[in-house]
């Protein structure tokens, strides 16, 4: 670090001032509030050495190396961290005071054979991978924070015990900064699991063990799975596990969850601890030093005198959180504290500590926890090798490079969509041929009648048409899985943050956006990883503009029929339009509803890891099962209803008139066979068109046609859009039912495309002209992209926000879709 950087007049040196490649030492984190506490929990504590790795392509945010991990901050957040050069390295005020051991009576005797285990750990520690291997379930595993956004239950059989494992959201801490943190803390405090299984990333011990110190404070029975132990060994590091286990007071087992190594041993320890057979277990408290311990004891004593907590909560943990000023714990204790004496005592002790140390109590306690962790590792951990030469982050020199970062990101997205279209075309054609063959078989076997019409024109034309797009959707999910597993998803957020920040969104919103390309529901749930309420709401209401896989079958159908060139580019333009619309929406809503709120950015950049074939296949399998279930339920029922509305009524004066004409032609012996066949064929097509127009769905379509007519859409297109309210896949099945009249399509795989290409206006000034032109087709895809999300997505919006934002999303998206499609129509007319 240059002297001129340090010799700034009237201004302390901050982390934002340090140049790339240089080191510094943290003095303190300024400011107030939960974000400051998050920085402390991420390791930005006094005395910690930090290296500046690189700037994002737009020069903001900045990537830092701290405590063996990589964390990105915006410049404005980095400017709150005061530092000094390494040459002036300061001693931290937080020393290792060891632990205090309490003698606990071993409770012997018969217990039940069902053990409730809570799985807790930092994001990216391999917790969900551990869960999957232990339970045989197939939860999504991703190398970025926020994959698990709710608890999942699974079961592990060990001897005659049933171990019920709850996979809780990944969290760095148990404070009140994020919904995940609150959820995990409340789960442990309210559900009282028999054992807490703490999964720790062995390659990043110092930061991961901060959460462990909080669990120790909660006084819960614990077992630690020291996960990714193979990475620790590859780094040449050494850890005395027995000594660390003795110091912490609970068993520690090395594991490699990606391979299932060590899981059985962990479960054996869980059973031993549950049955009080684990000899090395002892009840410890972290010793926070004389001053803090004195305040904790005073608060704890007053709590025991005034509150009846019935042993449900650890009074020491509550005392520590009250001393730190945790608002939620204060509110919870206040419910038992009639006269407010406990909270008052805690406030007095907090003020006394802060006056003595010239720091807020939360900072002092966080520093003391890291002092404990550092001291424990000093006794048990030996680092081997040069961290700067580790390959886990080296590829970032290219992927997040100032000049190459954006082009590479755009290329990855384009490649994903191009491969989805190109590779998926082959199995798609095979499936379409299969359903075409199946329709022919049924046509030849069954006699004419309602059953044959239902099977051929309803179920096969509708469900079969949607099912043929399954390969494309699987390919899309495969690429999303690869982006998640490698850790590149977090880099995308890092690259995009400044751009998205200027447009009212958070860089981490890019992660739910990419997930939204697969399905809007998990994407909306993934917004829980955004700490700020404004960021969550803005991302929730804009995620539906990310084109989910359910819309993909419509795009593939339309693009294949009307865009013979640059198909990947057309598909990419649709996805980019969704992103642009989301950004514009965010700017509008931010200015209207959240003008006074600002977002903050801190995000871990996990090390790159090689994706496993097993995880990618599991992801694809799960999505295929979900897709096929939807085929056999919602889409099947909707297809049958649409077919019935299109099939009935079968008689009307106009239809009967065409039937009479057909009979006359058949009975006319003056016509030669070829002429008779041609006339009958034309009359049957006219009767079919008349029957559709006079059917129940035809009448409804004519009723709503004026709404869609300015967009260049006919009533069949309008009806297809309306049926998509339930699920977007139904749009294709609806079109398969409504456009089945092309008898000249000799290849069943192309039947619907040919029907769309040959479909003409049946009335009005454009009568006889094609309904679908490339411009109309593009406008139709734009409407599909932007309008009303499916019912499941709207339900997720309501669950993650409230009814007001759900209704806003439904009305706003549909309005935007109509306006956008209308603009496409206007451009097409102006351009001729």
């Amino acid at each position: 670090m240059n002297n001129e950087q340090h010799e700034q007049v009237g201004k302390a040196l901050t982390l934002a001032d340090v140049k790339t490649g240089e080191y510094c030492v943290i003095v303190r984190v300024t400011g107030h509030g939960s974000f400051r506490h998050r920085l402390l929990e991420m390791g930005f504590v006094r005395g910690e050495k930090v290296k500046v790795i690189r700037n994002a392509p737009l020069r903001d945010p900045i990537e830092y190396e701290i405590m063996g991990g990589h964390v990105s901050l915006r410049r404005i957040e980095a400017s709150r961290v005061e530092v000094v050069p390494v040459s002036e390295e300061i001693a931290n005020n937080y020393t290792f005071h060891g632990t205090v051991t309490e003698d606990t009576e071993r409770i012997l005797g018969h217990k039940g054979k069902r053990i409730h285990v809570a799985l807790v750990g930092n994001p990216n520690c391999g917790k969900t991978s551990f869960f999957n291997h232990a339970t045989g379930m197939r939860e999504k595993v991703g190398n970025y924070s926020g994959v698990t956004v709710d608890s999942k239950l699974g079961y592990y059989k060990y001897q005659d015990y049933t171990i019920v494992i709850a996979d809780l959201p990944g969290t760095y801490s148990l404070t009140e900064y994020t919904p995940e943190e609150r959820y995990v803390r409340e789960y442990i405090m309210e559900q009282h699991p028999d054992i807490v299984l703490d999964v720790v990333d062995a390659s990043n011990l110092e930061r991961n063990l901060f959460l462990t110190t909080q669990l120790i404070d909660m006084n819960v029975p614990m077992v630690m799975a020291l996960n990714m132990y193979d990475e620790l060994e590859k780094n040449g590091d050494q850890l005395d596990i027995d000594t660390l286990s003795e110091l912490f007071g609970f068993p520690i087992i090395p594991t490699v969850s990606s391979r299932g190594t060590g899981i059985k041993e962990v479960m054996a320890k869980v059973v031993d601890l549950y049955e009080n057979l684990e000899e090395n277990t002892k009840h410890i408290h972290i010793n926070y030093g004389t001053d803090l311990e004195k305040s904790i004891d005073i608060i704890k004593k007053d709590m025991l005198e005034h509150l009846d907590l019935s042993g449900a909560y650890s009074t020491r943990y509550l005392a520590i959180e009250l001393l730190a000023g945790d608002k939620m714990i204060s509110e919870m204790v206040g419910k038992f504290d009639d006269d407010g004496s406990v909270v008052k005592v805690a406030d007095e002790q907090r003020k006394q500590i802060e006056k003595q140390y010239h720091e807020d109590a939360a900072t002092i306690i966080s520093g003391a926890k890291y002092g404990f962790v550092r001291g424990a590792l000093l006794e048990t951990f030996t680092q081997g090798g040069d961290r700067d030469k580790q390959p886990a982050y080296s590829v970032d020199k290219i992927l997040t490079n100032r000049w190459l970062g954006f082009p590479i990101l755009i290329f990855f997205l384009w490649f994903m969509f191009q491969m989805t279209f190109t590779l998926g075309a082959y199995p798609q054609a095979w499936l379409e041929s299969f359903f075409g063959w199946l329709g022919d078989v049924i046509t030849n076997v069954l006699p004419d009648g309602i059953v044959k019409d239902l099977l051929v024109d309803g179920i096969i034309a509708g469900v079969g048409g949607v099912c043929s797009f399954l390969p494309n959707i699987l390919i899309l999910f495969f690429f999303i899985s690869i982006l998640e597993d490698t850790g590149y998803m977090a880099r995308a957020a890092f690259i995009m943050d400044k751009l998205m920040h200027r447009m009212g969104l958070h860089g981490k919103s890019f992660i739910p956006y990419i997930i939204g390309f697969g399905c809007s529901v998990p994407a909306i749930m993934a917004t829980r990883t955004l700490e700020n309420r404004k960021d969550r709401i803005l991302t929730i209401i804009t995620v539906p503009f990310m084109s989910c896989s359910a819309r993909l079958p419509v795009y593939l159908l339309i693009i294949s029929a009307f865009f013979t060139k640059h198909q990947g580019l057309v598909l990419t333009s649709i996805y980019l339009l969704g992103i642009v619309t989301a950004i514009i929406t965010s700017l509008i809503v931010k200015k209207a509803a959240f003008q006074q709120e600002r977002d903050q950015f801190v995000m871990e950049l996990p090390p790159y890891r090689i994706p496993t074939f097993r995880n990618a296949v599991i992801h694809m399998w799960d999505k295929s099962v979900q897709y096929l279930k939807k085929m056999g339920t919602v889409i099947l029922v909707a297809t049958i209803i649409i077919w019935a509305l299109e099939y009935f009524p079968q008689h009307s004066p106009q239809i009967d008139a065409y039937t009479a004409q057909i009979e006359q032609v058949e009975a006319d012996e003056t016509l030669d066979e070829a002429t008779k066949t041609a006339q009958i064929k034309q009359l049957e097509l006219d009767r079919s068109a008349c029957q559709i127009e006079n059917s129940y769905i035809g009448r409804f379509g004519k009723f709503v046609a004026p709404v869609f007519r300015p967009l260049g859409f006919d009533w069949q297109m309008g009806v297809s859009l309306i049926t998509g309210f339930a699920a977007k896949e139904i749009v294709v099945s609806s079109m398969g039912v409504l456009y089945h009249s092309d008898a000249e399509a000799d290849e069943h795989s192309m039947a619907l495309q040919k029907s769309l290409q040959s479909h003409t206006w049946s009335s009005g000034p454009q009568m006889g002209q094609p309904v679908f032109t490339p411009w109309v087709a593009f406008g139709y895809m734009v409407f599909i992209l932007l309008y009303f999300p499916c019912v499941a997505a709207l339900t997720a919006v309501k669950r993650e926000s409230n009814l007001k934002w759900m209704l806003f999303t439904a009305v706003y998206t549909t309005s935007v879709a109509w306006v956008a499609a209308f603009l496409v129509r206007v451009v097409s007319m102006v351009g001729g």
Side-chain angles (χ1 to χ4, degrees), residues 26-46:
I26 295 173
V27 176
R28 67 180 183 129
V29 180
T30 62
H32 300 278
S34 58
F35 184 76
R36 178 171 177 269
H37 295 160
R38 168 44 50 93
L39 290 181
L40 297 172
E41 292 161 358
M42 296 288 282
F44 290 84
V45 292
R46 181 180 175 87

Side-chain angles (χ1 to χ4, degrees), residues 541-542 545 580-590 808 812:
I541 64 175
T542 52
F545 291 124
V580 171
T581 305
I583 291 170
I584 294 173
T585 298
S586 178
L587 284 171
I588 295 172
V589 177
K590 180 183 179 182
F808 171 83
Y812 177 79

Side-chain angles (χ1 to χ4, degrees), residues 436-643:
W437 169 82
L438 183 62
D440 286 343
V441 170
I442 294 176
T443 299
N444 294 329
V445 171
L446 293 180
D448 292 341
I450 187 172
V451 174
K452 185 173 83 172
D453 291 342
L454 171 62
L455 292 175
V456 176
D457 298 329
I459 295 175
I460 292 178
V463 176
V466 180
C467 195
S468 63
F469 293 102
L470 177 61
N472 307 88
I473 292 171
L474 293 183
I475 292 171
L476 177 64
F477 275 109
F478 172 79
F479 280 105
I480 291 176
S481 177
I482 295 299
L483 292 177
E484 294 172 351
D485 293 351
T486 57
Y488 185 73
M489 198 78 90
R491 272 68 182 184
F494 176 71
I495 292 169
M496 292 293 296
D497 177 67
K498 186 171 184 178
L499 180 62
M500 300 189 77
H501 179 52
R502 287 178 175 175
M503 298 175 179
L505 288 165
H506 196 285
K508 289 171 72 173
S509 299
F510 199 68
I511 294 173
Y513 277 8
I514 295 180
I515 298 173
F517 291 145
C519 180
S520 295
V521 175
I524 291 169
M525 295 176 67
T527 60
R528 296 182 191 178
T529 61
L530 297 166
E531 294 85 0
N532 184 280
R533 174 179 172 271
K534 179 215 54 157
D535 297 328
R536 286 198 300 275
I537 295 296
L538 290 179
T539 307
I540 284 169
I541 64 175
T542 52
V543 157
F545 291 124
M546 300 302 105
S547 189
C548 67
S549 61
R551 296 176 170 99
L552 187 59
V554 187
Y555 303 152
L556 298 179
L557 171 66
I558 299 297
I559 291 173
S560 299
F562 300 101
F563 299 92
T564 57
K565 296 181 179 179
H566 310 298
Q567 293 178 330
L569 185 61
V570 173
L571 185 60
T572 303
S573 70
I574 290 292
Y575 281 80
L576 290 177
L577 177 62
I579 296 173
V580 171
T581 305
I583 291 170
I584 294 173
T585 298
S586 178
L587 284 171
I588 295 172
V589 177
K590 180 183 179 182
K591 184 165 286 190
F594 300 105
Q595 195 167 10
Q596 303 303 318
E597 298 187 35
R598 63 180 299 272
D599 60 346
Q600 296 160 316
F601 183 88
V602 55
M603 184 183 69
E604 180 185 14
L605 295 175
Y608 285 100
R609 293 192 170 96
I610 298 174
T612 63
F613 180 75
R614 176 182 181 274
N615 189 41
V617 169
I618 284 174
H619 194 196
M620 293 171 65
W621 171 258
D622 285 345
K623 295 305 175 184
S624 65
V625 170
Q626 293 176 21
Y627 193 72
L628 291 174
K629 283 182 178 178
K630 192 181 286 187
M631 295 292 108
T633 54
V634 176
I635 295 175
L636 176 61
V637 172
T639 297
I640 293 174
I641 292 173
I642 294 167
W643 171 85

